[in-house]
Amino acid sequence: MPDLLAAFLTTLLSMASIFRLSFQVPRQFSRWHTLFQRPASQVRKFSRSNSTLLDSTEKLEEETLSWYSPDSFYPVKIGEVFKSRYQVIGKLGYGGYSTVWLCRDLQQHAYVALKVFERNSAEGQRETEIYHHLNSLSFVDHAGVKLIRKALDSFQIPSAEGSFGCLVHPPLGISLYDFRTQLRAKVLPEKIVKLTLVHLLLALDYLHMEAGIVHTDIQEKNIMMAIEDTAILTNFEEEEKSCPSPRKVVGDQVIYTSRKLKKTKQYGRPTLCDFGQARLGFSTYCGDIQPYIYRAPEVLLRMPWNEKVDIWNVAVLTWDLFQQGHLFYARDSDKRSSDAHHLAEMVAIMGSPPREMIQNSVSATEFFDGEGNWKGAIEIPPISLEKLEGNLEGEPQRRFLQFLRKMLRWKPEERESASELLNDSWLRSP
């Protein structure tokens, strides 16, 4: 097994004790920590004299987003200090509604990640509210607590047209997507898939059963590895000082290129991140959610949904981790997203939906008759899980597909919970 896989596997196997640990420090000890804090660190100095200036007419990073506006993204500058505490060291990346920066917490003498949302971002407000809720929960003895990214602080950057929300997190390393795609095979070995899923299901069991949260956006890019080797953060800072990130300057605004963290052989635990699309409360919800090819049947059919959409996500994510290609492509001949093609693929994999489900969906009449039979404009593709699965044979394949079928169900209430899935025979097999 290549060094990269061996290192990750060793890390996951070493975390068996995660099932027995409690992870929150009793609050009565926090004041003693405050009393014995060291003086704040000095502000770092970053030179701009040897930085590479890029063509100001070319779109860079967040500017490539179709909805980007220079007024909507706060112009973070390397070296800037927020709250007299968090000094920006360099740019880690950007997302659909935020930029992410490595910072030095001058008070705690530690590295942190700063997520700066678009101005008046609904996703940013939702994510902040989710983290406030998670931080408000009383002591919980659940292994999943450790497998969800923490928010250490939150604050606002005011402006005349609104405010930019900010979240402070522990820094994390490579995403599961980046880890998988740098492998030659582009898929994970079975043992690593199983161990990764155990960690993910523990996190979901905590969110669903203890916290009352539906994530709705479970994908490889939202699962990141904790950092065990903090030398990669020190290295990041030293590189930014000696060789500043290339940037473009437009007026008083600077757009930086992201700097990647160095590779390491010390991978931490998989950690579930990004709660900008999450929902709070033990309830049912309505509306479009999820990356398109990960959408659950009830979302496609415009029906109410609950935490079981996350379970559907786990099944489709599992396929992406372990198989060549996606389980559902959901596109027409012009490569446009298509509900008809998506639902036709679901029928091929799961058979016809239950009649009562169709009768409760106004949107279903376009694709199904009153008995649940397909009447869509396209044909059902001649596929099945058995035909598509290409890594296993015999009994191991049967057990793997049985695991998937516990989640790939038309009716949400028939999908097993995260807790039930943790006892699956394929998942627990060596």
Side-chain angles (χ1 to χ4, degrees):
M1 182 179 291
D3 289 345
L4 185 68
L5 289 173
F8 186 38
L9 180 57
T10 300
T11 300
L12 292 180
L13 288 171
S14 70
M15 287 188 269
S17 60
I18 193 171
F19 295 97
R20 303 189 299 273
L21 295 178
S22 303
F23 297 104
Q24 295 186 3
V25 177
R27 294 174 180 170
Q28 63 264 34
F29 295 114
S30 61
R31 65 186 185 94
W32 296 108
H33 175 70
T34 303
L35 286 174
F36 292 99
Q37 280 184 331
R38 290 182 290 165
S41 298
Q42 294 295 313
V43 173
R44 270 77 162 156
K45 293 182 179 180
F46 292 89
S47 173
R48 303 179 186 176
S49 60
N50 58 338
S51 61
T52 301
L53 289 180
L54 304 174
D55 185 349
S56 62
T57 64
E58 295 291 328
K59 291 184 178 181
L60 180 66
E61 305 240 335
E62 59 267 25
E63 290 182 303
T64 61
L65 299 170
S66 60
W67 55 89
Y68 174 83
S69 164
D71 294 330
S72 62
F73 279 75
Y74 182 81
V76 177
K77 291 183 173 61
I78 292 175
E80 187 171 3
V81 180
F82 294 99
K83 291 186 67 179
S84 301
R85 177 174 181 177
Y86 305 114
Q87 184 179 20
V88 180
I89 301 299
K91 187 177 182 182
L92 290 168
Y94 70 98
Y97 52 89
S98 65
T99 54
V100 183
W101 307 79
L102 183 67
C103 295
R104 186 72 180 172
D105 183 341
L106 302 176
Q107 292 183 15
Q108 296 296 327
H109 310 276
Y111 291 104
V112 295
L114 175 66
K115 190 172 188 177
V116 183
F117 297 103
E118 284 182 295
R119 190 199 313 269
N120 302 326
S121 166
E123 290 86 355
Q125 181 178 354
R126 181 183 291 123
E127 186 162 17
T128 301
E129 290 174 353
I130 291 291
Y131 275 117
H132 285 169
H133 171 70
L134 286 170
N135 289 341
S136 73
L137 297 177
S138 57
F139 180 87
V140 178
D141 183 12
H142 193 294
V145 174
K146 193 69 171 179
L147 305 173
I148 296 164
R149 191 175 206 178
K150 303 296 184 290
L152 305 173
D153 195 5
S154 64
F155 59 92
Q156 301 285 322
I157 304 173
S159 72
E161 293 79 24
S163 61
F164 301 88
C166 300
L167 281 171
V168 180
H169 299 286
L172 292 173
I174 192 171
S175 73
L176 196 58
Y177 173 81
D178 289 334
F179 179 83
R180 179 181 62 81
T181 54
Q182 69 181 254
L183 301 176
R184 182 178 300 177
K186 307 302 180 186
V187 295
L188 298 181
E190 183 181 5
K191 183 171 288 188
I192 291 182
V193 172
K194 291 176 183 179
L195 289 167
T196 301
L197 289 173
V198 167
H199 287 73
L200 175 58
L201 290 169
L202 283 168
L204 287 178
D205 185 53
Y206 171 68
L207 289 177
H208 293 169
M209 305 310 298
E210 301 285 350
I213 291 172
V214 188
H215 189 280
T216 83
D217 194 18
I218 296 170
Q219 54 180 307
E220 291 174 280
K221 293 181 180 180
N222 289 341
I223 300 172
M224 304 180 74
M225 310 304 182
I227 293 175
E228 296 292 324
D229 179 13
T230 57
I232 64 175
L233 302 175
T234 304
N235 180 271
F236 183 102
E237 179 177 354
E238 293 305 317
E239 284 192 347
E240 186 58 46
K241 288 178 179 177
S242 62
C243 185
S245 299
R247 64 203 65 186
K248 58 176 283 188
V249 179
V250 182
D252 62 349
Q253 190 159 18
V254 182
I255 305 292
Y256 297 90
T257 57
S258 301
R259 182 185 297 276
K260 290 186 178 295
L261 294 170
K262 292 291 186 182
K263 293 182 180 179
T264 177
K265 293 183 180 180
Q266 293 178 260
Y267 288 98
R269 61 182 65 86
T271 304
L272 186 58
C273 309
D274 290 317
F275 288 83
Q277 302 297 331
R279 301 296 191 274
L280 176 62
F282 296 93
S283 182
T284 56
Y285 313 85
C286 295
D288 287 341
I289 52 165
Q290 302 177 299
Y292 192 79
I293 61 172
Y294 283 10
R295 284 187 175 175
E298 61 269 31
V299 178
L300 285 177
L301 294 173
R302 309 295 187 268
M303 300 176 69
W305 48 265
N306 59 19
E307 78 281 354
K308 289 299 182 71
V309 295
D310 285 344
I311 301 301
W312 177 274
N313 259 189
V314 172
V316 187
L317 172 66
T318 300
W319 191 271
D320 281 358
L321 295 177
F322 193 41
Q323 304 293 320
Q324 298 285 353
H326 299 301
L327 181 57
F328 301 108
Y329 283 90
R331 294 184 180 277
D332 61 20
S333 57
D334 295 321
K335 297 184 178 181
R336 296 174 299 189
S337 298
S338 166
D339 287 357
H341 287 75
H342 203 168
L343 287 166
E345 289 174 308
M346 289 182 179
V347 172
I349 295 296
M350 300 185 294
S352 298
R355 183 172 60 182
E356 61 269 26
M357 185 175 184
I358 296 304
Q359 292 173 343
N360 289 328
S361 167
V362 175
S363 301
T365 56
E366 180 182 350
F367 309 104
F368 302 96
D369 64 22
E371 298 299 314
N373 299 310
W374 180 254
K375 67 170 188 178
I378 63 169
E379 294 184 0
I380 303 298
I383 59 174
S384 67
L385 289 180
E386 285 77 8
K387 291 179 180 178
L388 294 172
E389 202 288 315
N391 288 342
L392 301 171
E393 295 178 349
E395 182 62 14
Q397 184 191 68
R398 187 194 69 78
R399 292 167 71 182
F400 170 63
L401 298 184
Q402 183 181 52
F403 172 72
L404 290 183
R405 287 188 169 109
K406 293 178 179 180
M407 299 178 277
L408 296 174
R409 303 283 181 88
W410 285 103
K411 297 175 71 173
E413 59 270 25
E414 292 181 357
R415 295 172 207 150
E416 290 198 357
S417 67
S419 177
E420 290 170 329
L421 289 166
L422 282 165
N423 294 315
D424 177 79
S425 61
W426 171 79
L427 193 63
R428 291 296 187 180
S429 63

